[in-house]
């Protein structure tokens, strides 16, 4: 302040405490850019960082890798253990992923881990020389999941599926790079999860074929493009045919016969497995009445079930079909894969109890390939174990496969279960199975799966010592 002579006589200082303003700013920044649960960058910040990384990779002639990561069966984990455990798992995943990016305690410039929402995470890794470097990172991330996670006071294994795309190699903008990494991840899920997969043009092609097929599947049932083939299951003791396994076929108008391995997963993804599965059940039951007429009564039919069909109303659906068709429940068998049965054990136990009450036999398919808990096996009301064909294959049964087959047969005998071997192709395999008292067999040696119209040729035949139907 100056006096009348313009001399400075006083100073006034004004000051403001900015700390609360700074605090608010940083809070807003956190809310906008970070995920509150894991404290990782969220989708918004991830996109911004990715954009910068792509530009830099381009100008510095390096590659940036985008790893797109999804926890396998997270929904089941959440449903089974509750959201609190689910949240805690996501936090542990975040920690592990963050560690993956650290080298000697520091994260490199521009590398980030982000949570994109739900159980999806992304990693951006910069300055890579090429696919080899990316491969190393992918391997490191995948290996971070080999150690079990904490689930409350217990530990459990959790697996992830990872899709990877590189920029500029696979894409030069944010949206394309994300789409390609996502496609690679989707493809890896289809290959059975718990793996990682790089993007390639081939995946794009596969995906469009898949979308085409998916589209055609919607009309296939109505257009009567599905049919069932039947493969005999024979009693190895007297050579008689005891049952027929129903195997679905899709006669595509342009592509011809499409094997079930290629479209059953699509039926499952689209939910079409429910109507189609019901059609299979009903058609198989009707056909079973035909076998009775052609091949003599008492022959049963065996139907494969998919996971989505294992719901509470399955027994109702089957009950309705049986009464509509007029087939005795004792002539219907259901094949349930081992991995399916083990997925939701308590539900499976309840369902198997109900089916047993109805008088329907269930067998465990592909036995030996999944993770069986032998204690649960005791609680499952099942009649039969089916030894997976991968053990029967490999002509020399003196090796490990032979030991496994013998172990499964022994297990079945001890649990008072029947045992059937699938994929029997040679007289040597037949001899091996017979000498170890395997009850039943199925495979090309006896017969390929046949359409109903060719079943009559089996009438009155039995398997001879060499497996020929005479
Ligand atoms: P799966 O239940 O393990 O069926 C046995 C598969 O092995 C069939 O393949 C059969 O044709 C084949 N096979 C039979 N004998 C031999 C042999 O001696 N050697 C070899 N290498 N293979 C043999 P397919 O018909 O292609 O069926 C593949 C899978 O598709 C089935 O495996 C089953 O998991 C699924 N599937 C088939 N029909 C249905 C259905 O109606 N519903 C559901 N949910 N799945 C089905
Ligand atoms: Ca089967
Ligand atoms: Ca099988």
């Amino acid at each position: 302040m100056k006096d009348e002579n313009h001399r400075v006589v006083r100073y006034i200082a004004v000051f403001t405490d900015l700390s609360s303003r700074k605090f608010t700013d940083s809070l807003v920044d956190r809310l906008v850019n970070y995920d509150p649960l894991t404290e990782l960058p969220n989708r918004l910040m991830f996109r911004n960082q990715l954009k910068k990384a792509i530009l830099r990779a381009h100008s510095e002639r390096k590659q940036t890798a985008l790893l797109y990561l999804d926890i396998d069966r997270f929904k089941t984990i959440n449903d089974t253990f509750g959201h609190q455990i689910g949240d805690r798992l996501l936090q542990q995943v975040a920690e592990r992923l963050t560690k993956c990016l650290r080298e000697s305690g520091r994260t490199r410039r521009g590398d980030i881990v982000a949570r994109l929402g739900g159980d999806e995470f992304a990693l951006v890794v910069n300055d890579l020389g090429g696919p080899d470097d990316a491969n190393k990172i992918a391997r490191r991330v995948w290996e971070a999941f080999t150690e079990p996670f904490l689930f409350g006071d217990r530990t459990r294994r959790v697996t992830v599926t990872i899709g990877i795309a590189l920029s500029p190699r696979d894409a030069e903008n944010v949206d394309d790079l994300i789409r390609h990494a996502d496609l690679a991840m989707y493809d890896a899920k289809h290959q059975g999860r718990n793996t990682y997969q790089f993007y390639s043009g081939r995946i794009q092609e596969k995906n469009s074929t898949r979308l085409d097929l998916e589209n055609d599947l919607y009309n296939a049932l109505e257009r009567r493009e599905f049919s069932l083939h039947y493969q005999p299951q024979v009693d190895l003791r007297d050579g008689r045919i005891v049952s027929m396994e129903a195997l679905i076929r899709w006669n595509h108008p342009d592509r011809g016969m499409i094997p079930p391995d290629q479209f059953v997963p699509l039926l499952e993804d689209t939910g079409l497995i429910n109507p189609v599965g019901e059609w299979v059940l009903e058609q198989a039951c009707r056909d079973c009445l035909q076998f009775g007429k052609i091949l003599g009564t008492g022959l049963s039919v065996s139907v494969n079930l998919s996971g989505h069909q294992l719901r509470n109303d399955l027994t109702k659906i089957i009950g309705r079909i049986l009464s509509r068709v007029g087939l005795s429940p004792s002539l219907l068998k259901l094949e349930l894969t081992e991995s399916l049965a083990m997925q939701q054990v308590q539900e499976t136990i309840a369902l198997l109890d109900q089916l047993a009450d109805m008088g329907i036999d269930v067998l465990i398919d592909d036995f030996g390939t999944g993770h069986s808990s032998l204690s649960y096996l005791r609680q499952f009301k099942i009649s039969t174990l089916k030894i997976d064909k991968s053990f029967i294959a490999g002509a020399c049964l003196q090796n490990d496969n032979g030991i496994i087959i013998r172990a499964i047969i022994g297990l079945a005998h001890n649990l008072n279960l029947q045992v059937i071997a699938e994929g029997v192709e040679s007289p040597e395999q037949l001899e091996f199975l017979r000498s170890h008292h395997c009850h039943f067999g199925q495979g090309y040696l006896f017969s390929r799966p046949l359409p109903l119209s060719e079943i009559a040729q089996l009438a009155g035949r039995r398997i001879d010592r060499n497996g020929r139907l005479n």
Side-chain angles (χ1 to χ4, degrees):
M1 293 177 84
K2 296 177 179 165
D3 63 10
E4 54 276 20
N5 299 323
H6 299 287
R7 280 188 316 182
V8 175
V9 291
R10 273 200 188 102
Y11 291 92
I12 295 176
V14 178
F15 58 97
T16 311
D17 183 353
L18 283 176
S19 52
S20 83
R21 168 80 188 280
K22 286 221 153 149
F23 176 72
T24 319
D25 280 356
S26 78
L27 195 67
V28 169
D29 175 62
R30 287 212 79 74
L31 286 175
V32 172
N33 287 313
Y34 290 84
D35 162 49
L37 179 71
T38 59
E39 297 181 354
L40 290 180
N42 63 13
R43 189 179 280 274
L44 182 71
M45 173 145 170
F46 156 74
R47 285 186 68 96
N48 288 335
Q49 296 290 99
L50 183 59
K51 198 169 180 176
K52 285 185 204 157
I54 289 175
L55 287 175
R56 211 169 47 220
H58 187 88
S59 66
E60 292 176 5
R61 294 173 186 276
K62 294 266 172 125
Q63 298 283 341
T64 284
L66 167 59
L67 285 78
Y68 216 88
L69 189 144
D70 185 283
I71 303 175
D72 296 332
R73 302 203 174 85
F74 182 71
K75 192 182 166 324
T76 313
I77 295 173
N78 239 346
D79 292 349
T80 316
F81 298 95
H83 289 270
Q84 248 177 350
I85 300 260
D87 282 356
R88 193 57 206 110
L89 174 65
L90 292 172
Q91 288 167 333
Q92 294 174 71
V93 168
E95 274 165 37
R96 283 199 197 174
L97 292 178
T98 309
K99 266 195 209 136
C100 286
L101 284 190
R102 289 220 182 102
E103 262 162 26
S104 48
R106 297 184 49 202
T107 306
R108 276 188 317 187
R109 172 186 71 144
D111 288 0
I112 63 166
V113 186
R115 178 172 174 223
L116 305 182
D119 60 329
E120 279 180 27
F121 293 84
L123 282 82
V124 179
V125 186
N126 291 283
D127 294 338
L128 299 176
D132 269 0
D133 290 350
N135 206 24
K136 266 186 223 146
I137 297 277
R139 179 99 215 148
R140 187 175 339 146
V141 171
W142 183 80
E143 276 171 358
F145 286 80
T146 48
E147 288 287 307
F149 287 82
L150 271 176
F151 275 59
D153 50 6
R154 294 195 184 193
T155 60
R156 263 177 180 272
R157 277 172 193 288
V158 170
T159 59
V160 285
T161 303
I162 308 168
I164 307 144
L166 301 180
S167 181
R169 193 190 74 173
D170 302 327
E172 298 210 38
N173 67 60
V174 172
D175 288 322
D176 284 351
L177 192 62
I178 293 179
R179 200 164 47 81
H180 289 168
D182 190 30
L183 266 179
M185 198 266 289
Y186 188 70
D187 190 67
K189 286 258 177 198
H190 273 270
Q191 291 180 21
R193 307 185 170 94
N194 189 17
T195 179
Y196 57 88
Q197 168 83 53
F198 280 83
Y199 173 79
S200 75
R202 195 186 43 83
I203 288 181
Q204 173 102 23
E205 231 169 78
K206 244 166 70 182
N207 189 56
S208 57
T209 316
R210 189 148 58 205
L211 288 177
D212 285 348
L213 282 184
E214 210 172 289
N215 205 27
D216 296 340
L217 265 184
Y218 279 95
N219 302 313
L221 191 57
E222 215 171 276
R223 295 187 185 153
R224 300 169 177 272
E225 289 168 5
F226 294 121
S227 62
L228 294 179
H229 281 193
Y230 292 95
Q231 189 176 36
Q233 304 183 328
V234 301
D235 190 322
L236 299 183
R237 291 154 294 193
D238 61 10
R240 251 187 252 268
I241 297 174
V242 290
S243 187
M244 294 284 191
E245 178 175 2
L247 295 160
I248 192 167
R249 298 291 177 258
W250 180 18
N251 194 356
H252 188 283
D254 309 322
R255 295 171 197 259
M257 279 292 182
I258 300 179
D261 293 333
Q262 274 178 37
F263 69 86
V264 170
L266 291 178
L267 288 173
E268 291 171 344
D269 284 356
T270 52
L272 285 168
I273 192 68
N274 289 311
V276 175
E278 270 188 65
W279 175 83
V280 172
L281 274 164
E282 177 148 359
Q283 191 61 44
C285 289
R286 289 191 192 284
D287 291 347
C288 186
L289 292 179
Q290 295 297 316
F291 307 149
K293 289 190 193 129
I294 303 169
L295 304 176
T297 45
L299 215 77
S300 58
V301 72
S302 207
V303 175
N304 292 286
L305 286 187
S306 159
H308 300 247
Q309 293 175 275
L310 304 185
R311 303 176 324 208
N312 308 335
D313 57 352
L314 178 68
T315 47
K316 269 196 218 116
I317 292 173
I318 292 178
R320 271 205 301 271
I321 290 175
L322 287 172
S323 63
R324 203 156 52 219
V325 174
L327 186 75
S328 156
S330 64
L331 295 183
L332 175 63
K333 291 184 180 159
L334 301 175
E335 304 203 356
L336 196 64
T337 63
E338 183 183 24
S339 37
L340 265 182
M342 292 297 161
Q343 243 173 53
Q344 288 190 309
V345 173
Q346 294 309 326
E347 286 81 352
T348 308
I349 293 176
L351 184 70
L352 293 177
D353 282 349
Q354 287 177 28
L355 289 168
D357 287 346
M358 292 171 74
I360 296 172
D361 267 3
V362 176
L363 68 80
I364 300 289
D365 207 350
D366 300 348
F367 190 79
T369 56
H371 307 272
S372 255
S373 153
L374 297 183
S375 60
Y376 284 134
L377 208 54
R378 289 219 69 147
Q379 296 178 52
F380 287 162
K381 286 221 180 92
I382 50 170
S383 67
T384 311
L385 297 182
K386 192 178 217 181
I387 308 173
D388 189 67
K389 57 176 172 288
S390 60
F391 299 118
I392 312 295
C396 171
L397 294 164
Q398 315 314 325
N399 60 13
D400 289 353
N401 280 348
I403 298 172
I404 291 171
I405 296 170
R406 271 158 47 200
I408 297 177
I409 296 175
L411 179 70
H413 284 306
N414 285 316
L415 290 173
N416 262 329
L417 298 172
Q418 310 265 37
V419 56
I420 176 167
E422 69 176 1
V424 183
E425 293 181 355
S426 72
E428 294 73 33
Q429 292 164 352
L430 172 62
E431 188 41 45
F432 181 90
L433 292 164
R434 272 208 180 112
S435 67
H436 291 96
H437 308 290
C438 181
H439 304 121
F440 304 100
Q442 180 181 354
Y444 295 161
L445 178 65
F446 315 122
S447 167
R448 294 202 167 243
L450 301 169
L452 186 66
S453 57
E454 289 174 33
I455 292 292
Q457 72 189 43
L458 301 176
R461 300 208 184 183
R462 277 196 200 197
I463 308 303
D464 68 16
R465 280 215 67 78
N466 295 317
R468 268 188 290 274
L469 275 167
N470 283 313

